[in-house]
Amino acid sequence: MKSHAKVVVVGGGVVGASVLYHLTKAGWKDVLLIERAELTSGSTWHAAGGMHTVNGDPNVAKLQQYTIELYKEIERISGQSCGVHITGGIMLAGTRERLDWLKMAKARGRYLGMDLEIITVEEAAKLFPLMDKKHFAGGMFDPIEGHVDPYGVTHAYAKSAQIGGAEIVRHTRVTDLKARADGSWDVITDHGNVHAEHVVNAAGLWAREVGRMVGIELPILAMEHQYLITGDMAELAGKKEQLHCIDFEGEIYIRQERGGMLMGTYERAGVPWSAVTTPWDFGQDLLPNDLERIAPSLEVGFAHFPALEGAGIKKVVNGPFTFAPDGNPLVGPIRGLKNFWVACGVMAGFSQGGGVGLALSRWMVDGDPGADIWGMDVARYGDWTTLAYTNAKVRENYSRRFSIRFPNEELPAARPLRTTPIYEKLEAEHAVFGDYCGLEHALWFAPTADEAEDHISFRRSNAHPHVAAECRAVQNSVGLLEISNYGKFDIRGPGAADWLSHMMANRVPPVGRIALTPMLNERGKLIGDFTMCRIAADHVFLIGTYAAETYYMRWFERHLPASGVSIRPCAMEYVGLSVAGPHSRALLQSLVRDDLSTAAFPFMSFRRMEIGMVPGYLGRVSFTGDLGYEIWVTTDYQRALYESLAKAGRAYGLKLFGGRALNAMRIEKSFGSWAREYRPIYGPFEAGLDRFVDFKKSEFIGRSAAAEEKHSGGALRLLSFKVDATDADAIGDEPIWHDGKTVGWVTSGAFGHRVNHSLALGYVPAALAKADAGFEIEIIGERRKAHRLTGPAFDASGARMRA
Ligand SMILES: Cc1cc2nc3c(=O)[nH]c(=O)nc-3n(C[C@H](O)[C@H](O)[C@H](O)COP(=O)(O)OP(=O)(O)OC[C@H]3O[C@@H](n4cnc5c(N)ncnc54)[C@H](O)[C@@H]3O)c2cc1C
């Protein structure tokens, strides 16, 4: 083994091998993969090898498409067969809701260039004669589905990488990783050490253990997973290979395996494997079968596909593989560690392994993953993902692998975990809570405890009239919203303002003022949107998206100078309440000594104040589009603040409102939101944030790319639409049609209660930015007429929030 390498990849499963190949393809030749045993010795060797393009996140779906297309390339380079069988696949729906879900998946597939087709039960039965029609309502056909040989794929990546210059060392275990002061690593193995500039943790089943070598606890857990192979079946003899089939109701997947069928299941009572530590002596081993555990799924499977029961069980495979709490991979650099990368938690290695390798290699070589991979960025998780939290969430995710997640559905595992001091108070007001980064926050308020429950649906739900009442309270009197679920950062030091000016596209506001700003990467793409509140010349309170706290901190710390500025995330040290609506000023004025008139405290002001007995910061900003204020206090004061606002609010008709009403109101104002309208695939001009990019100030990250975008106008444009929808509103990811062609996609949608219309925001090609007619938005399989708005649906002039 060599003593120095630019990169050491730890782990020779399908993911590590893909990373190695992609690094060589990107031009880094001095790369070394270290494998504890033989290649594929983790979860890879016993995988069922199924692959598909459909994924809930369109950006992950794109990487899955890429993975499947890649197999030809690595077969050609390596001469190693991947055993690719593209059979096509069907997904079977047993209920109307599932059929709706399939229609939505098909619609989303349109703008991804996927050729999906909704089919009747009769058509499905022709394609897949093993099914018993009576259990199904319809299905969806995907021509690009099939299976591969896990051994062949891994070795094809590995050989292709070796041809590209990479080295692979087997039967060598990485036992420790030690960081040097310059950010490089000593990779300690049981067969000598390697000095590496970069380390990639692709250790699959042992990724947690390799993470612990560098002091991190990755939120992943292995689950036992079983599939069985039937004896040879007369029904298959002499026939073309059967399609892949997913039966959602049975939580089952089926495909042909030689003369029989392979049937796997994600059972409800899933069992974690090695919940705390993974044994190093686990090799190419299988776990004992437990058919009893999967008996309920098998029963459904045998009822839905009767021929399988008669065929008998030839073989059962029970093997472990890893999941993150949301089932998506963990990819990217780790905050606070230089040159340490992860590519793990990949639960669908044969659909995603290629995309993961591509994104990570670009990130390492070019400094940017080259695609929108927010859905699999390791930085989407933070401190709340304790071992037990991960365990609860992974088990939940596994048991619901094929279940529908409705847009208004909140999942129960690991809750409540984090609460603010007013949690019980909101609960007493019949709040329906959602979980955001493990933190409970109110979504809406029901009139009685009995009604405080979401009826899950793709259509307007039981919450609709109550959210309407909340929006009307904000419009006509005053509403109170808890806003603790934001990310907050405390930035201090003599260099704070200059540094922030370099990091952000907008000008840092003067003391006592607030400015909104996009944050751009070097390519001029949106990697954040923030509210900058200037407390003092050397002190800024920065507010952004909480889910992106680690993502932002990774970026901030990378760009922090050696001295003069400090930045500290302080999300839960400061919690907040917001009051909004025409009576909000009078309500606050009854508790505050300072003059809150527009002359004395205009829109976008920020100041330390006492609200009743509570010291805090008051900002005059509005995400609802109405007159509004945000109050930030240290956590110990939140309860007292809430009580004094609630008491004083009685005279002003104060009503609590939640996240659903806020979302509807921000869409009425065409205000974008991180991970929806603002993502690293869009530029600020495309997103309509032109007025927040200040070219007159000094240099800032992304300036020249943003200037180019301004000059060219960008490729896309974010538009607001009024939609002729009747019982279901857009939620995001629906295709936008123009003159009979799919031209774009929805980023957010809701019913705008203050304007009494269904609304959507979405991107279309810039050339269509001014098109007056011809738009449609496809909602649950139906194309609804959409009218382009030339400004926000609510209070287009912005007079109300500035009043
Ligand atoms: C029963 C079953 C069925 C499955 N079916 C499918 C399917 O149909 N389709 C699909 O896409 N996926 C399927 N999977 C999941 C698939 O197996 C995984 O997504 C994939 O194998 C993950 O690959 P990996 O490279 O991340 O991890 P692993 O395969 O676990 O590889 C990690 C490698 O790292 C090595 N390693 C770990 N630590 C060290 C160290 N310290 N030093 C050196 N080497 C180390 C290990 O020996 C191992 O070889 C299935 C899994 C199971 C168990």
Side-chain angles (χ1 to χ4, degrees):
M1 186 167 65
K2 56 184 173 184
S3 60
H4 181 275
K6 189 168 182 70
V7 183
V8 165
V9 177
V10 185
V14 64
V15 174
S18 166
V19 169
L20 193 72
Y21 167 64
H22 282 92
L23 284 170
T24 60
K25 195 175 170 188
W28 281 13
K29 310 287 179 194
D30 181 18
V31 291
L32 169 68
L33 184 147
I34 303 180
E35 166 54 47
R36 184 185 69 101
E38 293 291 347
L39 296 181
T40 76
S41 297
S43 40
T44 298
W45 73 276
H46 50 231
M51 54 177 188
H52 49 262
T53 49
V54 175
N55 186 285
D57 180 336
N59 295 292
V60 177
K62 270 187 229 167
L63 291 174
Q64 295 190 177
Q65 272 175 299
Y66 166 81
T67 301
I68 294 173
E69 282 157 17
L70 189 67
Y71 293 134
K72 279 193 218 86
E73 176 179 310
I74 54 173
E75 279 186 337
R76 183 174 38 76
I77 297 173
S78 65
Q80 163 74 51
S81 165
C82 295
V84 181
H85 292 237
I86 301 282
T87 55
I90 51 170
M91 297 184 167
L92 293 174
T95 60
R96 176 186 175 226
E97 284 76 20
R98 176 58 72 182
L99 206 52
D100 281 351
W101 186 88
L102 288 176
K103 285 177 189 165
M104 290 161 76
K106 173 194 157 64
R108 183 179 298 153
R110 279 187 212 288
Y111 65 77
L112 295 172
M114 288 158 71
D115 192 13
L116 306 170
E117 197 187 331
I118 297 294
I119 53 176
T120 62
V121 182
E122 301 300 327
E123 288 166 328
K126 268 200 203 117
L127 290 167
F128 195 69
L130 297 175
M131 65 184 258
D132 181 349
K133 287 189 284 190
K134 72 170 179 277
H135 301 287
F136 300 103
M140 182 168 78
F141 175 68
D142 178 0
I144 319 222
E145 252 186 63
H147 57 98
V148 287
D149 163 24
Y151 174 95
V153 168
T154 310
H155 281 82
Y157 278 131
K159 282 184 191 158
S160 302
Q162 283 169 316
I163 290 167
E167 201 177 299
I168 296 177
V169 176
R170 293 173 299 128
H171 300 288
T172 301
R173 175 152 79 88
V174 173
T175 54
D176 205 356
L177 295 163
K178 293 199 183 309
R180 290 194 185 180
D182 65 357
S184 63
W185 292 90
D186 285 314
V187 180
I188 319 293
T189 83
D190 51 5
H191 287 89
N193 302 344
V194 188
H195 177 224
E197 279 174 51
H198 299 262
V199 169
V200 179
N201 175 0
L205 286 177
W206 293 266
R208 253 180 342 185
E209 281 65 26
V210 172
R212 286 171 191 160
M213 291 176 193
V214 300
I216 57 170
E217 189 64 42
L218 289 164
I220 38 180
L221 176 71
M223 295 292 290
E224 291 191 15
H225 181 73
Q226 301 183 76
Y227 63 79
L228 57 85
I229 297 171
T230 70
D232 287 355
M233 294 168 60
E235 290 83 350
L236 308 181
K239 302 247 171 66
K240 203 169 128 230
E241 186 172 12
Q242 292 291 311
L243 266 64
H244 258 238
C245 173
I246 291 178
D247 170 6
F248 292 105
E249 267 53 55
E251 308 271 352
I252 288 166
Y253 60 90
I254 313 177
R255 71 165 170 85
Q256 188 166 343
E257 174 70 20
R258 300 176 196 276
M261 294 297 287
L262 179 156
M263 177 157 87
T265 172
Y266 288 83
E267 69 276 19
R268 298 246 185 255
V271 171
W273 178 72
S274 295
V276 181
T277 25
T278 313
W280 286 108
D281 60 359
F282 186 78
Q284 290 204 342
D285 300 317
L286 287 175
L287 305 171
N289 306 333
D290 186 354
L291 283 181
E292 213 162 287
R293 198 167 74 229
I294 60 170
S297 306
L298 294 186
E299 213 172 287
V300 179
F302 291 144
H304 289 188
F305 310 97
L308 267 68
E309 188 167 17
I313 297 173
K314 190 165 81 183
K315 184 177 169 191
V316 181
V317 171
N318 184 9
F321 64 119
T322 55
F323 295 78
D326 62 4
N328 273 339
L330 297 177
V331 180
I334 296 287
R335 176 193 163 201
L337 292 179
K338 213 166 162 209
N339 297 344
F340 186 82
W341 309 78
V342 297
C344 55
V346 182
M347 60 79 56
F350 302 96
S351 303
Q352 299 175 338
V356 166
L358 176 72
L360 190 75
S361 63
R362 283 189 178 166
W363 214 336
M364 293 175 73
V365 174
D366 306 334
D368 188 289
D372 184 346
I373 61 135
W374 166 247
M376 49 187 204
D377 191 331
V378 60
R380 70 190 183 278
Y381 289 113
D383 292 349
W384 68 92
T385 53
T386 56
L387 202 67
Y389 170 93
T390 300
N391 187 301
K393 277 296 181 197
V394 168
R395 277 189 289 127
E396 178 181 67
N397 185 275
Y398 182 91
S399 72
R400 310 177 30 95
R401 167 93 172 96
F402 290 140
S403 303
I404 301 173
R405 172 91 189 253
F406 289 91
N408 63 340
E409 184 172 10
E410 295 292 323
L411 302 180
R415 295 180 61 196
L417 177 61
R418 309 172 73 191
T419 53
T420 59
I422 60 167
Y423 172 71
E424 276 87 9
K425 300 226 161 252
L426 300 183
E427 199 176 30
E429 299 293 335
H430 320 306
V432 175
F433 288 99
D435 160 23
Y436 181 72
C437 307
L439 178 71
E440 297 295 320
H441 69 112
L443 297 171
W444 59 281
F445 292 84
T448 64
D450 287 347
E451 291 169 90
E453 190 193 350
D454 264 319
H455 299 170
I456 52 175
S457 173
F458 289 120
R459 293 161 206 276
R460 287 177 199 152
S461 77
N462 59 318
H464 192 77
H466 308 302
V467 172
E470 292 172 19
C471 294
R472 274 196 292 278
V474 172
Q475 183 178 12
N476 300 322
S477 56
V478 54
L480 175 64
L481 169 81
E482 176 169 30
I483 50 170
S484 303
N485 58 343
Y486 281 91
K488 291 137 239 161
F489 305 87
D490 188 76
I491 307 175
R492 292 176 197 244
D498 284 347
W499 176 74
L500 205 54
S501 179
H502 174 66
M503 298 301 292
M504 303 291 169
N506 203 357
R507 184 173 292 269
V508 178
V511 173
R513 301 289 295 158
I514 294 172
L516 307 180
T517 181
M519 180 163 77
L520 308 179
N521 60 17
E522 282 89 357
R523 296 186 303 124
K525 297 294 181 196
L526 291 168
I527 54 165
D529 70 309
F530 293 95
T531 306
M532 298 184 280
C533 311
R534 186 86 175 262
I535 293 174
D538 59 355
H539 189 187
V540 178
F541 187 63
L542 187 71
I543 304 164
T545 304
Y546 186 36
E549 182 183 276
T550 309
Y551 172 88
Y552 293 147
M553 282 306 295
R554 188 175 63 192
W555 180 257
F556 290 150
E557 284 167 349
R558 224 179 92 192
H559 292 88
L560 214 55
S563 64
V565 192
S566 68
I567 179 161
R568 197 171 55 81
C570 55
M572 285 303 121
E573 288 167 40
Y574 282 92
V575 289
L577 293 174
S578 167
V579 285
H583 297 167
S584 56
R585 178 168 26 227
L587 162 60
L588 267 184
Q589 191 66 79
S590 72
L591 296 167
V592 166
R593 268 174 293 126
D594 306 56
D595 178 1
L596 295 183
S597 67
T598 293
F601 195 67
F603 187 53
M604 303 303 265
S605 296
F606 191 81
R607 203 182 299 160
R608 191 158 182 88
M609 283 189 199
E610 289 175 6
I611 303 104
M613 286 190 286
V614 174
Y617 289 107
L618 186 71
R620 191 178 154 189
V621 277
S622 170
F623 203 40
T624 65
D626 234 305
L627 174 68
Y629 300 84
E630 289 180 352
I631 310 161
W632 300 102
V633 295
T634 52
T635 310
D636 47 347
Y637 284 111
Q638 194 202 25
R639 200 179 165 94
L641 176 69
Y642 174 83
E643 276 170 2
S644 59
L645 284 169
K647 193 165 161 218
R650 276 185 219 128
Y652 300 93
L654 182 76
K655 185 170 171 58
L656 289 166
F657 70 106
R660 297 256 171 84
L662 182 69
N663 189 48
M665 290 189 276
R666 67 114 188 146
I667 292 172
E668 286 174 323
K669 284 297 293 175
S670 304
F671 290 154
S673 174
W674 171 251
R676 289 194 167 269
E677 287 70 35
Y678 308 147
R679 298 186 71 117
I681 42 175
Y682 308 123
F685 296 91
E686 294 177 326
L689 294 173
D690 333 14
R691 62 193 186 286
F692 302 116
V693 181
D694 185 350
F695 288 109
K696 288 195 238 81
K697 68 168 190 167
S698 53
E699 184 60 25
F700 58 91
I701 297 175
R703 188 181 198 280
S704 55
E708 252 171 59
E709 191 200 326
K710 186 178 182 186
H711 179 70
S712 71
L716 301 171
R717 197 68 80 244
L718 179 65
L719 297 184
S720 303
F721 296 97
K722 239 167 105 170
V723 191
D724 291 349
T726 45
D727 67 335
D729 305 299
I731 48 174
D733 292 329
E734 292 85 357
I736 302 175
W737 295 72
H738 186 260
D739 286 349
K741 284 200 212 85
T742 307
V743 293
W745 54 90
V746 170
T747 48
S748 299
F751 189 83
H753 294 281
R754 294 179 299 184
V755 296
N756 200 25
H757 222 294
S758 187
L759 297 167
L761 307 179
Y763 282 92
V764 301
L768 289 175
K770 296 222 156 53
D772 276 327
F775 286 110
E776 288 169 308
I777 290 178
E778 186 172 340
I779 300 176
I780 321 179
E782 261 183 71
R783 277 152 65 176
R784 317 285 180 127
K785 215 163 180 197
H787 311 271
R788 180 177 70 84
L789 299 173
T790 50
F794 180 75
D795 189 32
S797 72
R800 289 178 71 106
M801 59 186 188
R802 290 187 175 80

